[in-house]
Amino acid sequence: MTSFYLSKPYEPPQAPLKLPLSEPWALFGGISPNQFMARYWHKKPLLIRGAIPAFALSAQSGEQLDSPIPAQELLKFALQDQVESRLVKSKPWSFSSGPFVKKSIPSLDKPNWTLLLQGMEARHPAAAKILSWFRFIPDARLDDLMVSIAGIGGGVGPHFDSYDVFLIQMSGRRQWRISEQEDLSLNPNLPLKILQNFKLEQEWTLEPGDMLYLPPHVAHDGIALDAGCQTWSVGFRSPSFKELLQEGLWRLAESLEDIPALENKFADPKQNATQLADQLPDELIKQLESKLKGLKLDQIDGFLPGITAYLSEPKQQAFFDGPEDPLNPGKFLKKLGATSLIPHPQTRILALGKQIYCNGENMTKGQAPDIISAWQGLSAQKGLKTNKLKHLDKSSLYVAYLAGWLVFQT
C-alpha cells in the first residue's frame, strides 16, 4: 500500500485535465461518468460504498484516515466574516447564521447540533481538489462544496433540495433516510424548511469514503452517529427559467447603450388623424417591431451573453484582494512563462463559444487574439503558462491579475 492511502489527514488528489469519461470509476461504484449521467443524473439516487477507496484500504491495514480538514481547523472557519456559516440545533430546533464567536459553537462531544460551512472550495485546497473530480458536469451547473460537522444526533431534519448533490462521508458515520415522496409540504411551525410529512423509503449508514448522490426534490434526512461527523456536499445549482431570462433581459437592456442608432427619436410623418386617440399608435408598434427584429431579440443568441455573464458571477460572499506587490507587465510575463496562472478559488469562469466570461465580465471583448487565446486556455484547463503573449499591457488578463481574480500557483 502506498503512503498516499495512509496519509493522515487524507489528501485528495487533483483530477487530470482530461477525465476518462468512458472508463469505470470507483467514485461511482465501478461505472463510468458517461454511464452515471445516463442512468442516474437528475433521475434517481445512487449509493456508492467505498467511493473513495483510500478509506477502506487504510482500514484493512488497521489505519483510520482523518478528514482532509481536521475538526478543530474546520470549526475556526465559522469565526471568519468571509465564510458563510450556519448553526442548526435540534431539541428544540434553532437556527443562527455566522460569523460566530468561539464559545457559541458547541464542543464536539455535545449532541444535537450541526455547523454548515458554504463555499469551502475557496477556503481549503482539499475541497477544491474534490471539486475537480466532478468536472465532467458543466461548470455552469456548479454551486459549491459545503462541509457540515456535527455532534451525535446532529442534522437539519428531513428536507429536500432543488439541486443535484453528492454527499461524501469524510469523518464518522451518518445515517441517511431518503424518500421520493410527492408530498413536499413544509412544517409551518419550525424555523427551518423541514418536511411536514416525511415517509421513509430507504435507509443507509454511510462510513468514511462512502457517497450518496441525490437528484433534486428527493426528500432526505441525515443524522450524525459519531461526534465530529463530517459530510462534504458537492451541490449543482438549477436556476429557474424566470431567473435566467430576467438576468439575460437585464443585461441585454444594458447592451443597448452600445447601439447609437437607438438614440434616434421616433417619428410618424405618415400618422393620420384618428378618432381613437387613447390607443397606442399602429405606427409606433410597427416601428418598434422592426427594431426588435433588427436586434434579433426573438433569438436565443441575444440572451446567451447576459445569461453566461450572470452564471459566471462569483458568490455574494466572494472577496478579492489584488497582489500586495504587483508585478509590472514585463515581470508578469516572465513569471507566466515559469509558473501557472490560475483562477482565484472564488473566481468563476465560463465560456460561450470563443467568448470567455470571468466574474460576470466578458474578458475577450475587444482583446487581441493572443489574449483571447490565453483566456480560452484558462477557461478550459483552469491554468495558463506561456511567455508568448505580445499584448499584455492593459489587457483584460493583466487587469484580472491586478484585481486578484487570477493568481499565480504556489
Side-chain angles (χ1 to χ4, degrees), residues 96-381:
S96 54
S97 298
F100 298 97
V101 295
K102 187 175 182 180
K103 64 180 180 181
S104 67
I105 301 174
S107 59
L108 294 177
D109 59 354
K110 298 292 184 181
N112 304 321
W113 64 272
T114 297
L115 181 67
L116 307 172
L117 300 161
Q118 299 286 159
M120 288 302 296
E121 72 280 0
R123 308 298 169 188
H124 198 284
K129 288 178 180 178
I130 293 289
L131 281 191
S132 74
W133 302 356
F134 296 91
R135 209 166 174 240
F136 59 89
I137 300 168
D139 290 342
R141 289 280 268 111
L142 178 64
D143 187 11
D144 70 355
L145 188 150
M146 181 187 76
V147 175
S148 71
I149 182 168
I152 294 175
V156 298
H159 65 287
F160 69 93
D161 298 314
S162 300
Y163 49 82
D164 301 84
V165 64
F166 298 88
L167 301 162
I168 307 171
Q169 196 60 27
M170 281 294 188
S171 182
R173 298 166 301 149
R174 185 179 289 272
Q175 180 188 56
W176 283 106
R177 306 186 303 157
I178 75 166
S179 172
E180 296 185 68
Q181 64 191 61
E182 294 184 3
D183 179 8
L184 298 178
S185 57
L186 302 177
N187 189 327
N189 300 316
L190 294 175
L192 302 170
K193 293 183 177 180
I194 295 177
L195 290 169
Q196 187 163 243
N197 302 301
F198 179 68
K199 298 178 180 179
L200 172 66
E201 293 179 357
Q202 297 185 79
E203 183 177 15
W204 307 285
T205 296
L206 268 64
E207 304 276 349
D210 293 342
M211 182 173 77
L212 175 63
Y213 162 73
L214 296 176
H217 301 121
V218 173
H220 53 287
D221 183 20
I223 302 172
L225 302 180
D226 298 303
C229 170
Q230 279 191 42
T231 303
W232 291 28
S233 305
V234 180
F236 289 85
R237 56 186 172 174
S238 296
S240 68
F241 288 114
K242 176 183 177 181
E243 179 183 352
L244 292 173
L245 289 174
Q246 281 181 333
E247 294 293 336
L249 281 168
W250 176 66
R251 287 165 172 78
L252 184 59
E254 280 194 328
S255 72
L256 299 183
E257 297 287 341
D258 300 328
I259 306 176
L262 295 181
E263 295 289 345
N264 296 337
K265 303 294 184 181
F266 164 69
D268 54 353
K270 298 181 180 179
Q271 176 66 52
N272 297 319
T274 178
Q275 295 284 1
L276 303 172
D278 62 319
Q279 293 292 323
L280 195 68
D282 290 339
E283 184 63 24
L284 176 59
I285 296 172
K286 180 180 177 181
Q287 291 188 36
L288 282 173
E289 183 179 24
S290 175
K291 291 295 182 185
L292 288 174
K293 286 182 178 179
L295 292 170
K296 300 181 179 180
L297 295 186
D298 59 338
Q299 298 180 19
I300 187 62
D301 289 349
F303 291 89
L304 290 180
I307 291 172
T308 310
Y310 167 62
L311 292 176
S312 74
E313 288 184 347
K315 283 184 163 290
Q316 291 183 348
Q317 293 76 20
F319 176 79
F320 299 96
D321 195 5
E324 292 183 5
D325 187 16
L327 302 172
N328 63 39
K331 290 183 178 180
F332 174 86
L333 183 59
K334 184 177 180 180
K335 186 168 185 177
L336 188 58
T339 306
S340 290
L341 188 70
I342 61 175
H344 183 281
Q346 297 181 88
T347 287
R348 290 184 182 269
I349 300 180
L350 289 179
L352 176 61
K354 295 182 178 181
Q355 300 176 69
I356 307 300
Y357 291 79
C358 177
N359 290 346
E361 302 289 339
N362 186 341
M363 308 307 288
T364 49
K365 184 178 181 180
Q367 297 293 302
D370 58 337
I371 300 299
I372 294 175
S373 179
W375 274 110
Q376 291 169 347
L378 262 171
S379 177
Q381 302 177 13

Side-chain angles (χ1 to χ4, degrees), residues 12-35:
Q14 178 74 30
L17 288 177
K18 188 172 184 179
L19 296 172
L21 302 184
S22 59
E23 296 179 15
W25 288 21
L27 189 66
F28 299 115
I31 66 173
S32 69
N34 285 336
Q35 291 171 320

